[in-house]
Amino acid sequence: KAGRASEIHFLNGAVVSLGRQVEVATPINAAIVKLVLKREAERQQGILSSAMTPEQLVQWLREQSTN
């Protein structure tokens, strides 16, 4: 809900953590965590960013996989 912190660490963050423990890469989950935390930080700073289109999301995920 608006104004509340997400459960991203509990959900996708747990997948990333477990993947590390068993040496399985989880790049999409890691990118989702990064994106949600970025959006939360922007919201806390009063930055209102527009929603991404599906195409923008795919592009952002591709950029994250090369970083």
Side-chain angles (χ1 to χ4, degrees):
K1 295 211 173 201
R4 290 191 327 178
S6 71
E7 297 175 340
I8 195 66
H9 286 293
F10 179 74
L11 301 170
N12 294 85
V15 171
V16 174
S17 179
L18 290 171
R20 285 187 187 130
Q21 290 176 24
V22 296
E23 299 181 4
V24 173
T26 57
I28 298 298
N29 285 288
I32 290 170
V33 170
K34 187 175 181 178
L35 178 61
V36 171
L37 293 177
K38 176 182 177 293
R39 294 293 183 150
E40 285 181 351
E42 289 171 351
R43 185 184 68 222
Q44 289 176 352
Q45 296 172 7
I47 300 169
L48 300 175
S49 56
S50 60
M52 290 183 171
T53 65
E55 293 80 12
Q56 290 171 321
L57 179 58
V58 168
Q59 180 61 37
W60 187 87
L61 289 170
R62 285 186 178 136
E63 290 169 1
Q64 298 310 299
S65 69
T66 61
N67 292 335

